[in-house]
mmCIF file of all heavy atoms in Angstrom:
data_model
loop_
_atom_site.group_PDB
_atom_site.id
_atom_site.type_symbol
_atom_site.label_atom_id
_atom_site.label_comp_id
_atom_site.label_asym_id
_atom_site.label_seq_id
_atom_site.Cartn_x
_atom_site.Cartn_y
_atom_site.Cartn_z
ATOM 1 N N PRO E 797 -8.965 20.554 36.423
ATOM 2 C CA PRO E 797 -8.472 19.633 35.366
ATOM 3 C C PRO E 797 -7.110 19.051 35.758
ATOM 4 O O PRO E 797 -6.272 19.700 36.342
ATOM 5 C CB PRO E 797 -8.347 20.556 34.155
ATOM 6 C CG PRO E 797 -9.326 21.633 34.422
ATOM 7 C CD PRO E 797 -9.252 21.884 35.921
ATOM 8 N N THR E 798 -6.921 17.787 35.392
ATOM 9 C CA THR E 798 -5.697 17.121 35.688
ATOM 10 C C THR E 798 -4.825 17.104 34.438
ATOM 11 O O THR E 798 -5.265 17.391 33.358
ATOM 12 C CB THR E 798 -5.924 15.704 36.193
ATOM 13 O OG1 THR E 798 -6.682 14.998 35.173
ATOM 14 C CG2 THR E 798 -6.707 15.674 37.477
ATOM 15 N N THR E 806 -0.142 10.967 29.394
ATOM 16 C CA THR E 806 -1.486 11.500 29.180
ATOM 17 C C THR E 806 -2.262 10.612 28.190
ATOM 18 O O THR E 806 -3.436 10.319 28.422
ATOM 19 C CB THR E 806 -1.406 12.934 28.608
ATOM 20 O OG1 THR E 806 -0.717 13.764 29.540
ATOM 21 C CG2 THR E 806 -2.785 13.500 28.368
ATOM 22 N N LEU E 810 -5.643 8.466 29.113
ATOM 23 C CA LEU E 810 -6.881 8.659 28.351
ATOM 24 C C LEU E 810 -7.419 7.306 27.834
ATOM 25 O O LEU E 810 -8.576 7.008 27.984
ATOM 26 C CB LEU E 810 -6.616 9.561 27.170
ATOM 27 C CG LEU E 810 -7.809 9.719 26.210
ATOM 28 C CD1 LEU E 810 -8.911 10.549 26.852
ATOM 29 C CD2 LEU E 810 -7.390 10.325 24.879
ATOM 30 N N TRP E 819 -15.473 8.339 31.558
ATOM 31 C CA TRP E 819 -15.450 9.451 30.618
ATOM 32 C C TRP E 819 -15.224 10.795 31.325
ATOM 33 O O TRP E 819 -14.677 11.716 30.736
ATOM 34 C CB TRP E 819 -16.719 9.467 29.814
ATOM 35 C CG TRP E 819 -16.896 8.181 29.046
ATOM 36 C CD1 TRP E 819 -15.965 7.624 28.200
ATOM 37 C CD2 TRP E 819 -18.002 7.337 29.026
ATOM 38 N NE1 TRP E 819 -16.445 6.442 27.677
ATOM 39 C CE2 TRP E 819 -17.727 6.244 28.172
ATOM 40 C CE3 TRP E 819 -19.255 7.341 29.638
ATOM 41 C CZ2 TRP E 819 -18.606 5.217 27.928
ATOM 42 C CZ3 TRP E 819 -20.147 6.309 29.410
ATOM 43 C CH2 TRP E 819 -19.830 5.260 28.553
ATOM 44 N N GLU E 821 -13.132 11.213 33.718
ATOM 45 C CA GLU E 821 -11.674 11.296 33.840
ATOM 46 C C GLU E 821 -11.062 11.721 32.541
ATOM 47 O O GLU E 821 -10.117 12.576 32.499
ATOM 48 C CB GLU E 821 -11.072 9.958 34.254
ATOM 49 C CG GLU E 821 -9.583 9.994 34.461
ATOM 50 C CD GLU E 821 -9.024 8.663 34.953
ATOM 51 O OE1 GLU E 821 -9.795 7.734 35.251
ATOM 52 O OE2 GLU E 821 -7.791 8.567 35.057
ATOM 53 N N ALA E 822 -11.606 11.225 31.387
ATOM 54 C CA ALA E 822 -11.102 11.641 30.105
ATOM 55 C C ALA E 822 -11.359 13.119 29.890
ATOM 56 O O ALA E 822 -10.500 13.866 29.363
ATOM 57 C CB ALA E 822 -11.774 10.799 29.002
ATOM 58 N N ALA E 823 -12.556 13.577 30.293
ATOM 59 C CA ALA E 823 -12.869 15.003 30.166
ATOM 60 C C ALA E 823 -11.924 15.849 30.991
ATOM 61 O O ALA E 823 -11.569 16.980 30.600
ATOM 62 C CB ALA E 823 -14.314 15.236 30.584
ATOM 63 N N GLY E 824 -11.486 15.311 32.156
ATOM 64 C CA GLY E 824 -10.629 16.054 33.019
ATOM 65 C C GLY E 824 -9.229 16.252 32.494
ATOM 66 O O GLY E 824 -8.537 17.179 32.937
ATOM 67 N N ILE E 825 -8.790 15.447 31.556
ATOM 68 C CA ILE E 825 -7.436 15.605 31.005
ATOM 69 C C ILE E 825 -7.506 16.185 29.591
ATOM 70 O O ILE E 825 -6.528 16.086 28.839
ATOM 71 C CB ILE E 825 -6.628 14.292 31.034
ATOM 72 C CG1 ILE E 825 -7.325 13.213 30.251
ATOM 73 C CG2 ILE E 825 -6.351 13.868 32.429
ATOM 74 C CD1 ILE E 825 -6.444 11.951 30.087
ATOM 75 N N THR E 826 -8.637 16.780 29.255
ATOM 76 C CA THR E 826 -8.770 17.481 27.974
ATOM 77 C C THR E 826 -8.434 18.948 28.221
ATOM 78 O O THR E 826 -8.723 19.474 29.296
ATOM 79 C CB THR E 826 -10.232 17.372 27.461
ATOM 80 O OG1 THR E 826 -10.570 15.996 27.324
ATOM 81 C CG2 THR E 826 -10.378 18.048 26.111
ATOM 82 N N VAL E 827 -7.801 19.611 27.270
ATOM 83 C CA VAL E 827 -7.454 21.025 27.418
ATOM 84 C C VAL E 827 -8.709 21.804 27.806
ATOM 85 O O VAL E 827 -9.729 21.712 27.135
ATOM 86 C CB VAL E 827 -6.859 21.586 26.115
ATOM 87 C CG1 VAL E 827 -6.656 23.115 26.236
ATOM 88 C CG2 VAL E 827 -5.529 20.881 25.767
ATOM 89 N N GLU E 828 -8.577 22.519 28.908
ATOM 90 C CA GLU E 828 -9.722 23.241 29.456
ATOM 91 C C GLU E 828 -10.292 24.253 28.459
ATOM 92 O O GLU E 828 -9.556 24.970 27.801
ATOM 93 C CB GLU E 828 -9.350 23.944 30.753
ATOM 94 C CG GLU E 828 -10.498 24.444 31.570
ATOM 95 C CD GLU E 828 -10.057 24.944 32.964
ATOM 96 O OE1 GLU E 828 -8.852 25.090 33.161
ATOM 97 O OE2 GLU E 828 -10.930 25.184 33.779
ATOM 98 N N GLY E 829 -11.624 24.283 28.342
ATOM 99 C CA GLY E 829 -12.294 25.202 27.427
ATOM 100 C C GLY E 829 -12.658 24.622 26.101
ATOM 101 O O GLY E 829 -13.539 25.123 25.401
ATOM 102 N N GLN E 830 -11.974 23.547 25.692
ATOM 103 C CA GLN E 830 -12.188 23.018 24.349
ATOM 104 C C GLN E 830 -13.492 22.283 24.181
ATOM 105 O O GLN E 830 -14.096 22.282 23.101
ATOM 106 C CB GLN E 830 -10.993 22.160 23.924
ATOM 107 C CG GLN E 830 -9.731 22.960 23.710
ATOM 108 C CD GLN E 830 -8.641 22.198 23.000
ATOM 109 O OE1 GLN E 830 -8.744 21.001 22.784
ATOM 110 N NE2 GLN E 830 -7.583 22.880 22.642
ATOM 111 N N MET E 831 -13.981 21.636 25.250
ATOM 112 C CA MET E 831 -15.265 20.946 25.114
ATOM 113 C C MET E 831 -16.378 21.929 24.867
ATOM 114 O O MET E 831 -17.310 21.652 24.099
ATOM 115 C CB MET E 831 -15.552 20.110 26.375
ATOM 116 C CG MET E 831 -14.700 18.851 26.525
ATOM 117 S SD MET E 831 -15.130 17.573 25.293
ATOM 118 C CE MET E 831 -13.983 17.893 23.974
ATOM 119 N N GLU E 853 -17.781 22.521 31.984
ATOM 120 C CA GLU E 853 -18.062 21.874 30.700
ATOM 121 C C GLU E 853 -17.950 20.331 30.789
ATOM 122 O O GLU E 853 -17.921 19.628 29.788
ATOM 123 C CB GLU E 853 -17.089 22.353 29.629
ATOM 124 C CG GLU E 853 -15.652 22.112 30.011
ATOM 125 C CD GLU E 853 -14.677 22.684 29.025
ATOM 126 O OE1 GLU E 853 -15.061 23.172 27.968
ATOM 127 O OE2 GLU E 853 -13.458 22.621 29.303
ATOM 128 N N GLY E 857 -17.901 17.068 27.898
ATOM 129 C CA GLY E 857 -16.750 16.210 27.742
ATOM 130 C C GLY E 857 -17.094 14.752 27.952
ATOM 131 O O GLY E 857 -16.616 13.895 27.206
ATOM 132 N N PHE E 860 -18.887 13.633 24.800
ATOM 133 C CA PHE E 860 -17.945 13.574 23.688
ATOM 134 C C PHE E 860 -17.127 12.311 23.747
ATOM 135 O O PHE E 860 -17.029 11.562 22.770
ATOM 136 C CB PHE E 860 -17.030 14.803 23.718
ATOM 137 C CG PHE E 860 -16.000 14.855 22.583
ATOM 138 C CD1 PHE E 860 -16.310 15.521 21.439
ATOM 139 C CD2 PHE E 860 -14.787 14.269 22.728
ATOM 140 C CE1 PHE E 860 -15.389 15.591 20.388
ATOM 141 C CE2 PHE E 860 -13.850 14.316 21.732
ATOM 142 C CZ PHE E 860 -14.151 14.968 20.554
ATOM 143 N N TRP E 861 -16.543 12.021 24.876
ATOM 144 C CA TRP E 861 -15.643 10.840 24.968
ATOM 145 C C TRP E 861 -16.447 9.561 24.982
ATOM 146 O O TRP E 861 -15.947 8.508 24.533
ATOM 147 C CB TRP E 861 -14.738 10.962 26.190
ATOM 148 C CG TRP E 861 -13.677 12.007 26.014
ATOM 149 C CD1 TRP E 861 -13.493 13.149 26.738
ATOM 150 C CD2 TRP E 861 -12.655 11.996 25.008
ATOM 151 N NE1 TRP E 861 -12.437 13.860 26.254
ATOM 152 C CE2 TRP E 861 -11.878 13.155 25.218
ATOM 153 C CE3 TRP E 861 -12.286 11.110 24.023
ATOM 154 C CZ2 TRP E 861 -10.766 13.480 24.397
ATOM 155 C CZ3 TRP E 861 -11.182 11.431 23.193
ATOM 156 C CH2 TRP E 861 -10.443 12.583 23.396
ATOM 157 N N SER E 917 0.179 22.658 28.981
ATOM 158 C CA SER E 917 -0.474 23.855 29.491
ATOM 159 C C SER E 917 0.497 24.714 30.282
ATOM 160 O O SER E 917 1.683 24.340 30.470
ATOM 161 C CB SER E 917 -1.642 23.431 30.371
ATOM 162 O OG SER E 917 -2.570 22.628 29.670
ATOM 163 N N ARG E 923 -2.104 17.750 28.334
ATOM 164 C CA ARG E 923 -3.531 17.421 28.227
ATOM 165 C C ARG E 923 -3.874 17.122 26.783
ATOM 166 O O ARG E 923 -3.187 17.556 25.866
ATOM 167 C CB ARG E 923 -4.394 18.501 28.835
ATOM 168 C CG ARG E 923 -4.113 18.766 30.302
ATOM 169 C CD ARG E 923 -4.975 19.883 30.855
ATOM 170 N NE ARG E 923 -4.814 19.976 32.336
ATOM 171 C CZ ARG E 923 -3.836 20.687 32.948
ATOM 172 N NH1 ARG E 923 -2.968 21.372 32.213
ATOM 173 N NH2 ARG E 923 -3.793 20.691 34.271
ATOM 174 N N VAL E 924 -4.994 16.451 26.593
ATOM 175 C CA VAL E 924 -5.440 16.092 25.261
ATOM 176 C C VAL E 924 -6.006 17.347 24.556
ATOM 177 O O VAL E 924 -6.863 18.024 25.113
ATOM 178 C CB VAL E 924 -6.501 14.996 25.299
ATOM 179 C CG1 VAL E 924 -6.955 14.655 23.862
ATOM 180 C CG2 VAL E 924 -5.938 13.769 25.988
ATOM 181 N N ASP E 925 -5.507 17.644 23.376
ATOM 182 C CA ASP E 925 -5.965 18.792 22.604
ATOM 183 C C ASP E 925 -6.968 18.306 21.582
ATOM 184 O O ASP E 925 -6.629 17.771 20.513
ATOM 185 C CB ASP E 925 -4.784 19.479 21.938
ATOM 186 C CG ASP E 925 -5.156 20.869 21.386
ATOM 187 O OD1 ASP E 925 -6.121 20.937 20.591
ATOM 188 O OD2 ASP E 925 -4.462 21.851 21.749
ATOM 189 N N VAL E 926 -8.252 18.507 21.862
ATOM 190 C CA VAL E 926 -9.305 18.016 20.999
ATOM 191 C C VAL E 926 -9.400 18.800 19.693
ATOM 192 O O VAL E 926 -9.664 18.261 18.610
ATOM 193 C CB VAL E 926 -10.666 18.028 21.732
ATOM 194 C CG1 VAL E 926 -11.839 17.777 20.791
ATOM 195 C CG2 VAL E 926 -10.670 17.036 22.865
ATOM 196 N N ILE E 927 -9.138 20.100 19.762
ATOM 197 C CA ILE E 927 -9.234 20.949 18.530
ATOM 198 C C ILE E 927 -8.190 20.477 17.525
ATOM 199 O O ILE E 927 -8.467 20.292 16.351
ATOM 200 C CB ILE E 927 -9.050 22.431 18.876
ATOM 201 C CG1 ILE E 927 -10.256 22.931 19.644
ATOM 202 C CG2 ILE E 927 -8.856 23.250 17.605
ATOM 203 C CD1 ILE E 927 -10.151 24.349 20.103
#
Side-chain angles (χ1 to χ4, degrees):
T798 57
T806 300
L810 175 72
W819 300 310
E821 182 177 354
I825 58 172
T826 303
V827 173
E828 194 171 10
Q830 291 193 352
M831 286 290 94
E853 57 184 355
F860 181 92
W861 288 117
S917 302
R923 297 179 174 88
V924 180
D925 194 304
V926 171
I927 291 178

